[in-house]
Every structure is written in C-alpha cells, then in structure tokens.
Amino acid sequence: MKCKFCSDKPVVHLKPSNLYLCENHFLERVEEVTKRAIKKFNMFDNKDRILVAVSGGKDSLSLLYLLNKLGYYTRGLYINLGIEEREYSDESFEYVKKFSEKFHMDIYTYNLKEEKGKGITDIMKHRKNYKACSVCGIVKRYIMNKIALEKNFNVLATGHNLDDEVSRLFGNIVFWQEGYLLHQNPVLEEEKNKLLKKVKPFCFISEKQTALYAYLRGIEYVRNECPYSIDAKTIFYKNILNRVEENSSGAKLRFYKGFLDIQKKYFKKVHKKYTEIMGEEKECKICGMPTLKEICGFCRIFERV
Ligand code: AMP
Ligand code: FES
Ligand code: ZN
Ligand code: ZN
C-alpha cells in the first residue's frame, strides 16, 4: 500500500475520501484544509493579530503551531481555571509550558484564582445547582475576550474541531435551540468593539486528525478529560455521531456543511426572530460588557461567590 501522492508508506486512511496518506502528505492536507477554511469564511489575514486560546489539549496546541507555521501573527493564551480535581488545571498548564519551551513560543497565562480569588472548584462549592461546564464556559469566553482586547489582538481563535461542532449542532437540533443554531458558525463577527471576532479554523478537521497532527509534529498534550466533563452531553453525542460515521463515512462533514449552507440561506429571517426571542442587548452594570440581562453572566458568577 502506498500514499495516494507518493511512494511512501501511509500513516492514515481518510475514509470519507478514501485517501491513504503518508506522514508528509497528511500534514500537508491538514494545513491545506485549515487554510481553505480560513479563506472561505474570511477568518483573518496577514494583517490581523490573532490570539489563540490554548487549553493544553491537542486541538488548540496544534492550531497555535499551525497558524504560526503559516506565518500569521499569533500568540497563545492559557487560562488556569483552578480546576483542582485530579490537579487538572496544573497538569494542563504543564503541557502548555512544555509546548512553549519546545517551540520557543511565548504564551500568556491568566490565573483565575489569583485574579478573582476563586477558581472553578471553589465556585462550584458555592453553586451546587449549576453545571460546572456552563460556569466554566462563561468564565473562559469572558477572560479570552478581555485579555485579547487588553493586549490589542483583533481576532480570537479556538481549537474547536469538526467533532466539537457536529456534536454541538446535534444537541442544538435535538432541542431546537433556534438562538444557538443562529450563533453556531465558524466565525462570529466583532460586536460593538467589545466582543472580538471569534474563529474556529479547525472546524473541518476531525478530532482523530488533530490528534495525529499533534503526534506527528511532536506536540505533547494533556490526554485526561476535564474531571467535570466525564458525563457531559457532548461526549454522549460524540459517541452517537461516531457510530453514525462508522456506518456512513463522511456523514459528520456532510451534516455540518449542509447546516452551514442552510444557515446562510435563512440567516436574515432567523436574525429578526432571534432578537424577538432574546431581546436587545444592554451593557452590564458592573463591567460594561454586552449582556441580555442587567448584569452579565461573568459578573453574576463572582457577585454570588
Ligand atoms: P473546550 O471548551 O474544552 O472544548 O475547549 C474548546 C476550546 O476552548 C479549546 O480548543 C481552546 O481553544 C479553548 N480553551 C479551552 N480551555 C481553555 C483554557 N483553560 N485556556 C485557554 N483556552 C481554552
Ligand atoms: Fe471547564 Fe471542564 S474545562 S468544566
Ligand atoms: Zn505521500
Ligand atoms: Zn459584567
């Protein structure tokens, strides 16, 4: 068996397109598909300053590596969320540091516990009726945006991959979350100079592919799942979708691309409805960031603990 494009031994078989690829051609393909997504969705170009949010996982570290390799102006940001169970945050940080040293790339760090007095583990002790992942999601998004603005970046990139996007889409469709469906896109444009443009350049790259990319590029990453996400719905949905993919190769990609086409066609109609459902945005009375309520989600979390 040979690589589709040369005589080297294949390291991977990409089933949907029935491609056997050697190491070099696989790496090249991941880079090409990412470049195409960046262009197709007008994510950024060489004039932009891109902050890549890195968690210590395979997706975000690979993304930082790849964007840097492609010559974009990038820098990483790691948020130490203070998840103390199984020393998850500290372990993730170790991988971020290793990456930074190995590839000579400085990475900003933000320590939630040091800055706000409480980490996710502390917060959850006070808020038993809340899901850790929702609290953590609000905190992460807020901090990423805040640091990016402070450091003069104009684009915020995350490592969300095809499997992340497809499982989120599946969940949004199962419960017909119109508002969320409207906002699920590889690019969210900047809002009111306060919410930076957000992009997901790996939206067409599967989880297996980012893992192999990281491995072949010598990127070590945290393999443990976050202790709070063990029974999270996304993992359940990912398992279901993996079974669908096993049965019909390419299903995930078609599901996602089909959705994006439909979203584009109906976007304007839905947008009107979205503001009707959600109401207009106001400014948070504490921090001034856009919010649908009087006080934004982030400030509410820290107000109560
Ligand atoms: P997750 O929400 O854990 O699926 O992560 C999605 C993306 O959010 C990752 O690919 C990263 O880009 C970003 N991210 C997650 N956790 C962190 C963190 N602790 N610090 C910075 N970025 C993060
Ligand atoms: Fe935030 Fe798991 S990474 S709760
Ligand atoms: Zn080859
Ligand atoms: Zn606020």
Side-chain angles (χ1 to χ4, degrees):
M1 184 65 67
K2 278 186 197 166
C3 165
K4 161 94 178 164
F5 301 108
C6 72
S7 55
D8 284 358
K9 212 173 133 234
V11 292
V12 67
H13 176 211
L14 303 180
K15 259 194 182 170
S17 33
N18 195 25
L19 280 181
Y20 287 88
L21 298 177
C22 70
E23 178 171 334
N24 283 339
H25 281 111
F26 168 75
L27 292 170
E28 208 172 84
R29 185 179 164 92
V30 170
E31 288 161 13
E32 265 314 304
V33 173
T34 309
K35 270 203 279 196
R36 261 185 265 149
I38 294 170
K39 220 168 158 200
K40 178 179 165 77
F41 297 106
N42 220 339
M43 291 185 179
F44 44 77
D45 60 32
N46 289 334
K47 294 186 287 300
D48 290 306
R49 288 169 55 90
I50 307 143
L51 187 70
V52 182
V54 292
S55 61
K58 58 189 184 321
D59 308 306
S60 47
L61 289 179
S62 295
L63 181 64
L64 178 57
Y65 177 97
L66 197 159
L67 294 187
N68 192 58
K69 179 172 181 286
L70 296 178
Y72 291 107
Y73 182 94
T74 51
R75 181 112 181 233
L77 163 70
Y78 172 71
I79 305 169
N80 187 323
L81 292 154
I83 299 177
E84 290 166 14
E85 289 83 352
R86 290 194 263 120
E87 296 173 5
Y88 181 70
S89 290
D90 289 344
E91 189 196 359
S92 312
F93 188 39
E94 285 306 313
Y95 285 97
V96 172
K97 274 195 288 194
K98 260 189 210 172
F99 176 93
S100 164
E101 281 157 19
K102 182 164 183 178
F103 300 105
H104 311 289
M105 291 168 76
D106 284 340
I107 292 176
Y108 297 117
T109 57
Y110 178 97
N111 189 311
L112 188 65
K113 200 163 173 150
E114 281 169 18
E115 299 288 335
K116 299 290 294 179
K118 298 259 186 287
I120 296 294
T121 301
D122 304 319
I123 294 171
M124 289 319 292
K125 284 182 197 151
H126 295 263
R127 312 200 69 188
K128 296 249 182 331
N129 54 337
Y130 270 67
K131 287 213 163 72
C133 292
S134 327
V135 173
C136 174
I138 294 172
V139 170
K140 274 192 291 206
R141 283 191 295 273
Y142 189 95
I143 303 291
M144 286 173 196
N145 191 68
K146 178 182 150 70
I147 302 291
L149 282 174
E150 281 173 12
K151 310 267 184 204
N152 261 323
F153 287 84
N154 66 328
V155 181
L156 189 55
T158 52
H160 292 95
N161 59 41
L162 177 67
D163 295 72
D164 295 327
E165 291 306 288
V166 172
S167 69
R168 188 170 153 207
L169 174 60
F170 185 73
N172 286 341
I173 288 181
V174 168
F175 293 101
W176 288 117
Q177 303 272 14
E178 276 184 79
Y180 291 149
L181 282 168
L182 168 67
H183 265 86
Q184 180 168 0
N185 198 275
V187 176
L188 291 178
E189 292 299 335
E190 184 207 276
E191 274 182 55
K192 302 173 182 161
N193 293 327
K194 285 193 173 173
L195 296 178
L196 278 191
K197 181 173 184 176
K198 297 192 193 69
V199 299
K200 300 173 181 175
F202 275 168
C203 61
F204 294 142
I205 310 281
S206 74
E207 202 163 278
K208 278 188 190 153
Q209 290 184 37
T210 58
L212 183 58
Y213 186 88
Y215 171 75
L216 295 174
R217 288 288 184 210
I219 300 168
E220 290 179 63
Y221 56 87
V222 62
R223 282 159 196 265
N224 288 327
E225 289 284 349
C226 159
Y228 287 115
S229 71
I230 298 280
D231 60 359
K233 276 221 181 82
T234 11
I235 297 184
F236 176 60
Y237 292 155
K238 277 185 183 174
N239 288 337
I240 294 175
L241 289 155
N242 282 339
R243 291 182 61 186
V244 175
E245 181 76 27
E246 266 167 36
N247 210 281
S248 342
S249 208
K252 285 184 202 171
L253 197 59
R254 280 176 65 180
F255 182 41
Y256 186 54
K257 285 190 167 170
F259 162 70
L260 293 177
D261 284 344
I262 286 172
Q263 192 194 41
K264 206 162 68 186
K265 276 189 213 153
Y266 298 108
F267 195 91
K268 279 188 185 133
K269 277 186 209 160
V270 191
H271 187 71
K272 188 165 174 283
K273 214 164 162 205
Y274 181 74
T275 48
E276 277 168 18
I277 301 168
M278 308 296 276
E280 293 295 334
E281 281 184 341
K282 313 179 181 60
E283 279 186 3
C284 168
K285 285 200 168 145
I286 297 177
C287 71
M289 291 303 277
T291 170
L292 294 168
K293 307 215 167 114
E294 296 296 303
I295 296 176
C296 77
F298 181 82
C299 291
R300 264 181 285 145
I301 289 169
F302 287 95
E303 212 189 17
R304 289 191 200 165
V305 295

